[in-house]
Amino acid sequence: MFDPYSVALPAVADLSPYQPGKPQEELKRELGLDRVIKLASNENPLGCSPKALAVLKQPVDLARYPDGNAYQLKQALAQKLNINSDQLTIGNGSSEVLELLVKAFVTARDKVVISQHSFALYYLAAQAVNADICIVPASHWQHDLKQMSSLANDAKLVFIANPNNPTGSYHSLDSIRVFLNSLPESVLVVIDEAYIEYVTEDGSALSLLNEFPNLVITRTFSKVYGLAGLRIGYCVSSAQIADLLNRVRLPFNANTQAQNAAIAALFDQEFIDQSIKLNLQQKQVIYDGFERLRLDFIESQGNFVSVQVGDELGVYQSMLAQGIIVRPIGNYQMPGWLRFTIGLEQENQQALAALSKAI
Ligand SMILES: *Cc1c(COP(=O)(O)O)cnc(C)c1O
């Protein structure tokens, strides 16, 4: 008998797959409801830019392959970010870019350093190539950059999520600079800025790229830009790193519609500002709600807040039964915690009411 599990790479056979938030349609089917509220995947509750939507309604020649080099999108990003277009790598979501980095640089037994309570894909991508994964305990729900630096001296690659998902913690530009200075240039440092647009403090590590040739910054159109369904993200690095990533990526990894919509979304500052403003206001609503319920939560620089509820699976199930999807994060070594994406006012109120009933 053919047993694929005994033939597969042991590192792959041992993997547990990424657990996404429960899809809305699935809960609708299960409960026979027309409407459910999903606050489980850090999506933009306002949808996407109307300008991106208008672009998507224009006909494109679907019989043709996309521009594999994403020329127009790279030009747009280069202009917006004030970088050269040859510093960019476009991916099928930034998840793909994270995987490309591992594919291009990490082999079995190379050391990869990540933080406890950090984004699951770093671990999954490194585990798939049987890397030597070093998980550094977090400190007060934050990456312990000092510890990470002392353990990463002989590493191939370090992943830093800034802000981090699911804790929402953020490290200032200064502390990132200190971290980068503390490492040899042989260590690739990947800073995942999926939520950087929401940060109210000093901002992106992009300004450090010229100082540090070993720095890579990943970004996405899935969060504030509201294009998670199109799958498009990118990274900014030295031109040399971009050249290497380009060698391992699939030729047409970003589709035509995604490239076109991303360009429109990038320049719709009004929509971005509106999204950030809503997030800030509603974050306070969520904080206040958790405080009223006397629940511990972690202050967040992202569009989500994690909260300690005790029996997280029980509370999660009870909220599901009330038509509300949030995210249990026991698999992030945070048993007892749920992560709430910040939604529209009405959605947050309903989620808080459901939570109150559930606990
Ligand atoms: C959502 C998220 C991403 C982005 O994923 P995409 O593949 O671009 O949709 C990357 N990193 C973190 C930490 C995230 O939470």
Side-chain angles (χ1 to χ4, degrees):
M1 198 190 81
F2 177 64
D3 174 16
Y5 293 96
S6 67
V7 185
L9 304 182
V12 174
D14 289 345
L15 272 180
S16 355
Y18 180 77
Q19 296 171 17
K22 190 179 183 71
Q24 272 166 298
E25 293 307 319
E26 190 176 300
L27 185 61
K28 284 185 197 169
R29 277 197 303 275
E30 288 170 5
L31 298 182
L33 290 175
D34 296 336
R35 210 182 76 89
V36 301
I37 293 173
K38 183 182 177 202
L39 300 174
S41 299
N42 302 343
E43 296 144 340
N44 189 329
L46 293 173
C48 76
S49 152
K51 291 185 175 146
L53 268 187
V55 165
L56 288 169
K57 283 182 186 147
Q58 286 165 21
V60 296
D61 190 348
L62 292 175
R64 303 283 170 198
Y65 283 102
D67 175 359
N69 186 39
Y71 176 82
Q72 298 290 355
L73 176 56
K74 285 188 185 174
Q75 291 296 314
L77 283 166
Q79 184 192 334
K80 170 106 180 184
L81 305 175
N82 197 21
I83 53 165
N84 289 322
S85 58
D86 63 2
Q87 295 179 267
L88 286 159
T89 305
I90 309 295
N92 195 262
S94 58
S95 313
E96 190 198 16
V97 177
L98 296 167
E99 207 167 72
L100 291 178
L101 285 158
V102 170
K103 199 170 172 188
F105 290 97
V106 182
T107 187
R109 288 176 293 282
D110 276 347
K111 187 169 176 182
V112 171
V113 175
I114 60 185
S115 173
Q116 184 190 22
H117 314 309
S118 192
F119 190 46
L121 273 192
Y122 312 146
Y123 185 89
L124 288 174
Q127 171 71 12
V129 298
N130 206 13
D132 169 20
I133 304 174
C134 172
I135 302 177
V136 180
S139 154
H140 306 286
W141 306 114
Q142 301 205 3
H143 290 31
D144 186 339
L145 291 181
K146 268 221 175 93
Q147 275 304 320
M148 288 182 84
S149 148
S150 66
L151 289 164
N153 260 294
D154 57 346
K156 181 63 80 73
L157 194 154
V158 186
F159 284 112
I160 304 279
N162 204 37
N164 184 44
N165 171 18
T167 62
S169 63
Y170 172 76
H171 291 278
S172 70
L173 203 51
D174 272 346
S175 53
I176 295 289
R177 184 188 280 107
V178 169
F179 178 73
L180 284 160
N181 267 321
S182 73
L183 285 173
E185 276 188 1
S186 54
V187 183
L188 204 60
V189 177
V190 178
I191 304 199
D192 179 347
E193 295 192 339
Y195 302 97
I196 196 70
E197 296 84 359
Y198 291 109
V199 171
T200 50
E201 291 177 39
D202 52 8
S204 168
L206 272 180
S207 60
L208 303 177
L209 271 172
N210 289 337
E211 266 173 84
F212 299 99
N214 55 331
L215 172 62
V216 180
I217 294 161
T218 66
R219 296 270 187 96
T220 183
F221 286 95
S222 300
K223 304 290 157 58
V224 81
Y225 293 101
L227 296 174
L230 281 178
R231 310 306 305 128
I232 189 146
Y234 62 95
C235 72
V236 192
S237 64
S238 69
Q240 290 88 339
I241 292 177
D243 173 49
L244 288 159
L245 296 177
N246 193 46
R247 298 175 192 207
V248 292
R249 89 180 157 79
L250 293 176
F252 303 107
N253 59 336
N255 70 73
T256 307
Q257 291 282 53
Q259 292 184 34
N260 293 343
I263 296 169
L266 197 60
F267 292 108
D268 191 347
Q269 195 60 43
E270 195 184 329
F271 178 79
I272 300 165
D273 291 343
Q274 187 192 359
S275 302
I276 294 169
K277 189 172 157 205
L278 174 78
N279 188 64
L280 278 178
Q281 276 170 357
Q282 291 304 309
K283 188 162 71 177
Q284 197 56 51
V285 169
I286 297 267
Y287 285 175
D288 293 347
F290 291 160
E291 266 165 19
R292 271 199 309 277
L293 296 170
R294 299 181 187 285
L295 298 173
D296 272 341
F297 61 91
I298 309 167
E299 288 197 15
S300 169
Q301 286 282 317
N303 64 343
F304 53 87
V305 186
S306 291
V307 60
Q308 193 170 26
V309 296
D311 170 19
E312 88 278 12
L313 289 178
V315 175
Y316 168 67
Q317 290 297 343
S318 159
M319 290 184 71
L320 280 184
Q322 301 175 67
I324 305 212
I325 312 169
V326 292
R327 189 79 157 262
I329 50 175
N331 58 333
Y332 285 87
Q333 290 186 14
M334 295 175 72
W337 290 76
L338 292 175
R339 190 193 67 197
F340 282 53
T341 299
I342 298 164
L344 303 173
E345 160 112 58
Q346 176 75 2
E347 295 175 325
N348 298 329
Q349 296 296 4
Q350 283 181 246
L352 287 166
L355 173 65
S356 167
K357 260 197 196 165
I359 55 178

